Amino acid sequence: MDEIRVRLKWLMAFRVVVVTLLLGLSIAFQIAKNELVFAYYALIVLTYVITIAYALALRYLDTPQKLQQFAYVQIGVDLLLETFLVARTEGVSSPFSALYVITVSFASLILQRRGGLLTAGVSAVLFGLVTNIQLYGLLDAVEWLRPSDLSTVQTLQTYGVHALAVLAVGFLSGTLSEQLKRADQSLVESEQGLSRLQAFHENVVQSIPSGVFTTDVEGRLTWLNRAALDMTGYEPGTVLHRSWWEVFSDRHDHASRMVPASFEVESQRADGSRLVLGMTLSPLTEGNVRVGLVGVFKDLTQVRDLEEEMRRREWFAKIGEMSAGMAHEIRNPLGGMAGALQMLRKEPTLGEENARLMDIATREATRLNTIVTEFLRYSRPPDLNLKECDLRELVNDTVAL
């Protein structure tokens, strides 16, 4: 519907321009010859008036059927005005008979082939009516429609050429208009399909959990998907047109990697926190020409943190096993030594000096056992003892200390 409305507006504008130019030039020539033809003035004024009426009526037409009927009305009125102008200007020899061709072309453009052929047929009938009136002198009383100076054969030949030209234009322009309409529909369908495909691909790329980026030939970032921005914490404006290794790597040697390549890089997020990425680089090509890189990466930070935690736990477990073995090997002799010293301490014949030395040996054995116990406690991961505390009490105690 909007397409018909736009073409009707073009028809109204073109009508005003053509009438103003053609009839304005004709009036200028008549003035130069001191011959005033008031019919030209009347046609110009009438054209402006009906154009204004058309523009006002066009606002209230809201269906394609009404717009099509309105187009037929405009084309019909144009044919009547052109017929009057042709009859007023020498009939079959009028230079304004070419206006029929313009009207037929617009009819084909707006109303397709059927409207163009119908307009061409009506044009041929109206021009034939003027030709017959002029040829046989049916209106001798009308001064401006005198018999033509052409012979009967020339008159019929002129009419035949004109009618054939109008019909040919109607057929060809109608066919061209239909082909143009089909081409427009095909183009619109192709654009819609392309838009849907592009939106689908964009949604797929934006929805995958892996980060994706593209670069130009120099390695400068040209695009990043949503996951890449979320992983790194950057805004698009802060990373676009920067080298990819400056954003995703803390080492410049990655820039010289041959692609395709897969590797792991350690970098930083926008807030400065640690970021470990598993990255794959592939060439971005158009045809057979490389135009940049495509990078796909995953956030391995949590995985690597878990691996380090597991390694620490394994280390603590090995230390615990070793400590338990050492404590067992040390505590057994200590236990025997402590028992023997206690038995010796109970001897009645033990002198005072020997008793004192025996006490020292027993105390040192106990201290050595305590050291082994503390070592075992240190080798185990400490257990958290969480409890609620009063911060004011802790601060007061600290200040007192």
Side-chain angles (χ1 to χ4, degrees):
M1 184 174 68
D2 293 336
E3 184 179 359
I4 298 179
R5 189 184 300 274
V6 171
R7 291 181 178 180
L8 285 174
K9 291 180 180 179
W10 276 104
L11 174 60
M12 291 186 288
F14 187 77
R15 181 188 301 114
V16 171
V17 173
V18 170
V19 169
T20 302
L21 290 178
L22 292 181
L23 296 185
L25 290 175
S26 299
I27 291 174
F29 292 150
Q30 295 296 329
I31 292 176
K33 296 179 181 179
N34 294 323
E35 298 178 1
L36 296 179
V37 182
F38 292 100
Y40 292 163
Y41 294 102
L43 282 176
I44 293 178
V45 173
L46 181 60
T47 300
Y48 291 160
V49 171
I50 63 174
T51 300
I52 295 174
Y54 289 157
L56 294 176
L58 188 60
R59 298 180 179 180
Y60 302 98
L61 303 178
D62 53 359
T63 62
Q65 292 77 12
K66 292 181 180 180
L67 289 173
Q68 192 173 22
Q69 294 172 0
F70 187 59
Y72 275 112
V73 171
Q74 288 199 46
I75 297 297
V77 172
D78 288 346
L79 291 178
L80 293 177
L81 293 177
E82 290 164 2
T83 302
F84 172 78
L85 184 61
V86 169
R88 184 64 184 83
T89 55
E90 301 179 3
V92 70
S93 301
S94 173
F96 294 107
S97 60
L99 294 176
Y100 287 123
V101 176
I102 299 176
T103 303
V104 170
S105 300
F106 266 100
S108 300
L109 181 63
I110 300 174
L111 302 171
Q112 306 304 315
R113 182 190 297 178
R114 180 179 178 181
L117 290 176
L118 181 61
T119 304
V122 174
S123 300
V125 171
L126 292 176
F127 190 67
L129 180 62
V130 173
T131 301
N132 280 281
I133 291 174
Q134 189 179 26
L135 180 63
Y136 298 107
L138 300 179
L139 295 177
D140 290 338
V142 182
E143 296 181 356
W144 44 265
L145 193 56
R146 295 296 184 180
S148 175
D149 295 334
L150 302 176
S151 63
T152 302
V153 175
Q154 291 175 333
T155 300
L156 294 177
Q157 183 179 9
T158 302
Y159 168 75
V161 171
H162 175 81
L164 181 61
V166 170
L167 291 174
V169 169
F171 176 78
L172 294 176
S173 59
T175 302
L176 181 61
S177 179
E178 288 189 354
Q179 292 179 352
L180 181 61
K181 182 179 180 180
R182 287 195 294 269
D184 289 341
Q185 292 176 350
S186 177
L187 181 60
V188 170
E189 293 175 356
S190 299
E191 289 180 349
Q192 292 176 349
L194 181 60
S195 299
R196 288 193 296 268
L197 182 61
Q198 185 176 2
F200 174 75
H201 285 171
E202 184 174 354
N203 291 334
V204 169
V205 175
Q206 292 289 358
S207 299
I208 60 177
S210 300
V212 181
F213 66 86
T214 59
T215 73
D216 57 14
V217 180
E218 302 297 330
R220 292 185 293 265
L221 292 172
T222 57
W223 178 84
L224 300 93
N225 71 338
R226 186 166 47 246
L229 297 174
D230 292 340
M231 289 183 194
T232 59
Y234 287 107
E235 294 296 331
T238 61
V239 294
L240 291 179
H241 309 300
R242 290 174 56 188
S243 300
W244 68 266
W245 57 86
E246 295 179 2
V247 177
F248 298 105
S249 175
D250 57 352
R251 296 167 54 189
H252 295 284
D253 59 343
H254 293 298
S256 61
R257 288 183 179 271
M258 300 295 293
V259 291
S262 298
F263 51 93
E264 185 174 308
V265 295
E266 183 169 345
S267 183
Q268 292 182 345
R269 293 185 176 89
D271 58 3
S273 58
R274 178 171 175 260
L275 179 63
V276 181
L277 300 176
M279 184 172 296
T280 300
L281 293 179
S282 301
L284 176 64
T285 60
E286 290 184 1
N288 295 325
V289 180
R290 175 175 168 177
V291 295
L293 294 175
V294 176
V296 181
F297 59 89
K298 289 186 176 181
D299 186 357
L300 303 179
T301 306
Q302 187 175 5
V303 176
R304 296 297 176 260
D305 290 343
L306 290 175
E307 290 178 352
E308 292 181 3
E309 180 66 21
M310 291 300 296
R311 283 194 293 268
R312 283 196 298 270
R313 290 181 179 273
E314 291 176 359
W315 181 77
F316 278 123
K318 292 179 180 179
I319 292 295
E321 292 177 0
M322 183 182 67
S323 301
M326 290 177 60
H328 177 72
E329 296 298 330
I330 294 175
R331 275 181 169 178
N332 286 340
L334 282 177
M337 291 172 58
L341 290 174
Q342 289 178 1
M343 293 298 295
L344 292 175
R345 182 68 176 80
K346 295 178 180 180
E347 288 291 329
T349 59
L350 187 65
E352 182 179 353
E353 182 66 21
N354 291 333
R356 187 177 65 82
L357 294 176
M358 196 71 65
D359 290 338
I360 293 173
T362 302
R363 186 172 62 251
E364 292 301 320
T366 303
R367 189 167 70 87
L368 184 59
N369 185 61
T370 303
I371 293 174
V372 172
T373 302
E374 292 295 332
F375 176 74
L376 286 175
R377 188 176 302 168
Y378 173 77
S379 63
R380 295 191 185 96
D383 296 329
L384 295 179
N385 183 19
L386 301 178
K387 63 180 180 179
E388 294 184 359
C389 298
D390 188 351
L391 289 179
R392 290 175 299 179
E393 183 178 350
L394 290 176
V395 172
N396 291 333
D397 292 343
T398 304
V399 172
L401 290 174

